[in-house]
Each structure stands twice: as structure tokens, then as C-alpha cells.
Amino acid sequence: MKRLLTVFVILMLVSSVMPIAAVGDAPFPTKDWAVSTPEEQGMDSVEIANYIKTFSDPAYNFDSLLVVRHGYVVAEAYSAPVQKDIPHEMYSASKSVLSAVVGIAIDQGHIKSLDDKLLSYFPDITPAHMDERKAAITIRDTLKNCSGLECNMYTNPEVDAVVMEGEPQKCLDIPMAYKPGEQWQYCQCNLFLLASVVARTTGMDVLSYANKYLFEPLGIKNAYWAPLGNAVMGFTGLRLTTRDMARIGYLYLKNGQWEGKQIISSQFVKDSISGLVTTPFAGTTYGYMWWTVDGMDAALALGYGGQYIMIVPSKDLVLVLTTGAHDMLRLMVHVTPFIMQGMQLKTEEAALPANPEGVKQLKALETELANPKAVPIKELPAIASAINKQNYAMVQPMALVSHGFLDPATSMKALSFTFEGADQFTLTLTKADDQLVNIAVGLDGLYRVSDYLTWQVAAKAEWLTPADLRIHIKYLGDAVLERIDMHFTAGTISGTVYQMAGPVGAWGDVSSFAAMLVVAQ
């Protein structure tokens, strides 16, 4: 597995209404991003269009891609049904933002020094497996994912359950595997411990602190960070829009400065995006929760399912990509074109000659992705009339994702179908607590969007045969894709729920999510 991951990382190596202005004149995007043509900012519209077109292939299942040059949005594409105001679960890209919050807490004196001992912030905890190495862990070690705790999720996956208990004691009880600072590990506990330090030292809820001193100064509104214990997850759980993710990247591109105010110290930013420590993955290094690559002037926040913020200081460039895909697909397919082709985008300091045809091509692609065409509607099979508005009780409960990192699946005890013509229907699910969940489903190849518990889902379906219906469910702003295959017979429905398990066409049966449905009496 380690060798496989190394191979994947080697692959990694390989409209606002604001007016257009000249190179270098961009205002900070506190209120909104200024928009420009690529040529005005020294880039080529056709080259950027081809870059975006790469991700329009269904294999990428991309949600959004944003290109910022010299502080201007020069390209912004969203794949329907995703829109720019939809926040996206950043998964592990959240780590880079927590690092910024820690940097602010240091600047404000809540955390005295990067070289403070981590345990000094938990005087009420007596950790198990205590030794000199554990006593020596510093805030700096923890920020570099080099605490030395035996908590590498790749080799010790059971620590995920430990951190989700939401108690710093549980993480601090983990035995030591290395001397602090000696070995990089992908450790979720490091992030939760840092989030707990912020909560303890500031006396504030971590999200409230981040809102006051990071998000609000940057113009980021309505951020959500999943709570855990008395802090936030830290290692995941942050939801920001694509434009807000770009604001984080732009802050780092500007060395922590925003509208004349130093939000984070420039030295902390510099260290964050420097290769302070090597990782086990060939050619990759790590700063303070930011990834770096040997030989490349770039730093990245990376998240499960394809969530990326990449900054390229020498090109004054920020690239943001969000997708919804299984992580195997991300490592095999997304990483190389996003990073390598992104790094190869040509940039000139002076404006290029106007290219109306190139801009037209770029805008046409953005419009096409945001407004896909419906497919011809098929005549409903006879079974649609038979099942219309009939209630079916589950023999074996159907389980769908309730949305949110590591949330338990939500069991459904009944379902029904209401057909509103040949182009769509409503799937009504009854939860165990009798709450009804109505999901609109398109039959014309286009997603319909519905509220689903805490977030939104988009759904579309196709009749494979007169007795077989396939429903595609996309959790908006998340990396989760599900598929429900249903077979109808007289008075019964049998179904299986799948989740994306790799490249397009690779779906995994979701354990106990198979269900047999019968007509309720």
C-alpha cells in the first residue's frame, strides 16, 4: 500500500460585477473578487479553457475550478448542479486553515511560542505511556505533523476512532513512535490537539475565533467547521465556498497581509509553505500543514475527494479545484493534471493583446458546464403507474449517507415514488423517526436539487429496463457519490446502494446498504 501511495505521489510531481482593471491594480477581495480577462493579467484564454476542459471529462467529476492572477478572477467554472454559493467540504485541506488559526493565536500571544511544550497547554491531563519524548513535543513539532505520537493513519488506522472521541486525553495517551521532529506522520490527532490548544488559550469557540480574526477580515461569511469535543475537528470538517478557499490562498500569496493589516505574521506564512520536513512520499515536503513539492515554487492544501488550494508565488497565481470523487480516483487521475498543467500555465507580467475569440471560447465553456442540456425523455414504463404514490416498507432498511465527515448512515424504513410527468419524480424516504425526506429526481439527464437533512442533494435517474431504475445521488459540496439500483417486481422492490469506489464505472456495494422493499400493508 505504501509503495502504491508513493507511485501516486510521483504522478503528482509530473462574475463579479467589479470592473476590469490593469495588471497590479486589484483590490483585496474582501467584498468581492474583481474579474478580468486572462489577457489583461498576462494569461491566455484558450490555454485556460483547455485546462478547464481537462476536468470536464466525467472521470474527474469536478465541481468547480477557479483561477486567480494578480488578485483577479480570470476564470471560474462550476459544473451543474454546483453553483458558486455552495460551500464545499474541504476535508484535509482544513488542516492548512487550522494552521493559519494557530499562527494568529501565536501572533496574539495566546500561544506563547512555537517551541512551547505541547503538554504545557494540558496541565489537567496526565498522559499514559509518558516518557521523555512525549514531554518534549512542541507546538512546532505538532504543526509539522512530527509530534512522534504513534498516530499515522496509514499504518495505524484505528487512531481515527480515537480522535473522534473528542477528548485530548485520548490522543495524548497514544504511545510515542519517534522522537519529536524526527519523522513526519499523517496524524489526525495532531490537528485536534492544536484545535484544543486554540480553544483553551483563547477562551473562545474555535470557529468563533477563526471568524473574528481570519474569516471576517478576509470577507469570508457563513463558514462552518464541524465541532469535536470542546474544539473543532481541525483535520477536516471546514466548509467554504470556492471563492473563499481562494481567499485563503490569496492571503498566503500576500505573505499573510490583507488590506494593509498583517493577519498572520509573514514569517509564519513563509515557514508554512516551505519544505520544512520530508514526507514518505517521493519528492514531497511539508511545512505547517501545507504540502510542498521539491523543485516547484508551489504550496498546496490538499483534501480527500479532490479539494485543492494551490498557490504559485513566482506567478502570483492561485488555483482552486473542488471535486466529488473517491480518493483512489483523486490520486490516480486528478493530481497530475491539476498540479502539472497548472504549473505550466503561461504567465507574463505585462498584459497580452486582447483576444475576444479566446475569451468567448472560455466563457462558452463555463456556460456549457453550468448549463448542461437535457437528454430526450423516455416514455415511462408501465411499472411507473403501478408504483406511483404507493408506500413501500423496508424489510431490510436502506442506508444513505446523512452527510458530513464520519457521520453514521441514516436508515430509511419506507419509501414511495410520485411521478410528475415523464421528466422527473419525487422519491420520498421515511426515516426511522418518521421524518419524511423528499428528493426530486430528474429523468431528463439533469440533476434536481433538494434539501436533504443538513445539506442538499442532487439526483437524476434512468430506466435501464422497464423494471430496473438507477438513481444517481450527488451530495452537493461533498465528495460522496451514491447510486441506487432498484428492480421492481409485483409488489416488491429490491435495491442495492453503491458508492463511488474508484474511477468512473467502479462502484462499491456499501456493506449493509442492500435493501429489499415490500408493499406496506
Side-chain angles (χ1 to χ4, degrees):
M1 180 63 183
K2 183 175 180 181
R3 179 179 297 176
L4 186 61
L5 287 169
T6 300
V7 170
F8 291 155
V9 176
I10 291 174
L11 287 175
M12 184 174 73
L13 299 179
V14 227
S15 318
S16 169
V17 297
M18 298 184 70
I20 295 174
V23 171
D25 290 346
F28 278 86
T30 309
K31 293 184 178 180
D32 204 352
W33 283 96
V35 175
S36 172
T37 67
E39 281 72 21
E40 283 283 341
Q41 305 309 319
M43 300 187 76
D44 186 295
S45 296
V46 175
E47 185 181 37
I48 293 176
N50 289 333
Y51 181 55
I52 295 173
K53 195 175 296 182
T54 299
F55 298 95
S56 66
D57 186 293
Y60 290 92
N61 191 39
F62 100 102
D63 290 337
S64 67
L65 195 155
L66 187 67
V67 181
V68 174
R69 179 90 204 284
H70 293 324
Y72 290 89
V73 171
V74 297
E76 183 174 21
Y78 296 89
S79 179
V82 176
Q83 298 177 1
K84 69 179 181 181
D85 60 346
I86 293 176
H88 213 286
E89 169 62 63
M90 293 174 60
Y91 287 94
S92 284
S94 306
K95 293 177 169 67
S96 304
V97 182
L98 182 70
S99 171
V101 175
V102 172
I104 293 169
I106 292 171
D107 292 341
Q108 294 183 352
H110 298 295
I111 299 173
K112 301 303 180 184
S113 168
L114 281 165
D115 296 314
D116 281 356
K117 299 297 188 284
L118 177 66
L119 291 182
S120 69
Y121 291 95
F122 299 94
D124 54 321
I125 293 177
T126 302
H129 306 290
M130 191 64 194
D131 59 18
E132 292 182 356
R133 295 178 300 175
K134 186 171 288 189
I137 301 171
T138 65
I139 297 293
R140 190 190 305 273
D141 296 327
T142 314
L143 269 172
K144 293 190 296 183
N145 255 335
C146 293
S147 66
L149 293 169
E150 191 174 358
C151 55
N152 191 335
M153 64 176 289
Y154 294 134
T155 58
N156 192 18
E158 58 270 21
V159 297
D160 276 357
V162 172
V163 70
M164 289 307 296
E165 292 188 43
E167 299 178 15
Q169 172 90 51
K170 299 292 185 179
C171 286
L172 292 172
D173 282 348
I174 296 172
M176 296 293 288
Y178 306 98
K179 289 177 59 178
E182 181 179 68
Q183 182 73 34
W184 180 92
Q185 297 185 92
Y186 203 70
C187 174
Q188 313 290 43
C189 269
N190 286 340
L191 277 297
F192 175 61
L193 289 170
L194 288 170
S196 299
V197 169
V198 172
R200 284 170 169 241
T201 57
T202 65
M204 294 177 65
D205 168 82
V206 178
L207 178 56
S208 297
Y209 183 76
N211 276 331
K212 184 173 182 179
Y213 296 107
L214 177 61
F215 297 147
E216 290 175 5
L218 271 57
I220 296 175
K221 301 176 181 178
N222 303 317
Y224 172 82
W225 211 327
L228 183 62
N230 292 321
V232 295
M233 288 182 176
F235 53 91
T236 189
L238 178 60
R239 303 172 186 172
L240 297 178
T241 66
T242 302
R243 284 186 163 210
D244 288 342
M245 291 170 69
R247 284 181 168 92
I248 297 295
Y250 195 58
L251 174 67
Y252 275 71
L253 200 63
K254 291 296 183 180
N255 298 310
Q257 187 269 340
W258 197 271
E259 291 189 321
K261 181 180 179 181
Q262 201 70 40
I263 305 297
I264 315 171
S265 75
S266 58
Q267 186 61 51
F268 187 89
V269 169
K270 179 181 178 181
D271 292 341
S272 296
I273 58 176
S274 299
L276 302 179
V277 59
T278 59
T279 79
F281 307 118
T284 65
T285 48
Y286 209 69
Y288 294 153
M289 300 296 168
W290 285 78
W291 292 86
T292 50
V293 182
D294 288 347
M296 286 189 182
D297 176 38
L300 299 104
L302 302 176
Y304 170 87
Q307 326 313 325
Y308 309 93
I309 305 171
M310 182 165 79
I311 63 172
V312 187
S314 62
K315 294 189 173 188
D316 200 16
L317 189 66
V318 179
L319 301 173
V320 176
L321 176 70
T322 66
T323 72
H326 188 276
D327 222 34
M328 186 69 73
L329 176 67
R330 174 176 74 89
L331 290 168
M332 290 192 299
V333 180
H334 286 159
V335 168
T336 298
F338 176 68
I339 297 177
M340 297 303 296
Q341 292 183 29
M343 290 293 297
Q344 292 167 5
L345 289 173
K346 298 181 181 64
T347 55
E348 300 289 345
E349 287 309 304
L352 300 179
N355 183 2
E357 285 302 313
V359 171
K360 183 178 179 180
Q361 178 180 330
L362 175 59
K363 295 302 180 184
L365 176 60
E366 293 174 355
T367 299
E368 178 186 345
L369 292 170
N371 301 278
K373 295 180 180 179
V375 300
I377 300 170
K378 297 180 180 179
E379 183 179 352
L380 291 177
I383 194 68
S385 296
I387 66 174
N388 190 35
K389 298 183 180 179
Q390 299 296 313
N391 194 43
Y392 289 78
M394 303 287 187
V395 173
Q396 181 180 353
M398 176 188 290
L400 297 176
V401 172
S402 63
H403 196 91
F405 189 77
L406 295 181
D407 279 355
T410 299
S411 292
M412 304 296 175
K413 69 178 184 180
L415 82 165
S416 63
F417 303 83
T418 302
F419 288 87
E420 300 116 357
D423 64 335
Q424 74 172 45
F425 65 90
T426 298
L427 172 64
T428 299
L429 301 170
T430 305
K431 293 174 56 183
D433 61 3
D434 293 324
Q435 178 184 351
L436 298 181
V437 179
N438 294 310
I439 300 176
V441 185
L443 285 167
D444 56 1
L446 301 180
Y447 281 109
R448 303 295 194 273
V449 178
S450 306
D451 291 333
Y452 176 71
L453 304 180
T454 61
W455 266 26
Q456 292 181 308
V457 295
K460 62 182 180 179
E462 57 187 323
W463 290 98
L464 304 178
T465 75
D468 293 279
L469 179 67
R470 172 169 291 171
I471 303 174
H472 297 273
I473 296 180
K474 179 179 179 65
Y475 293 80
L476 293 189
D478 199 1
V480 177
L481 291 174
E482 288 186 337
R483 192 186 88 199
I484 309 172
D485 287 353
M486 294 184 177
H487 177 70
F488 302 88
T489 57
T492 65
I493 306 172
S494 58
T496 304
V497 180
Y498 300 87
Q499 284 190 3
M500 178 71 80
V504 168
W507 293 85
D509 184 345
V510 185
S511 61
S512 62
F513 287 12
M516 174 70 72
L517 300 82
V518 298
V519 177
Q521 300 299 318

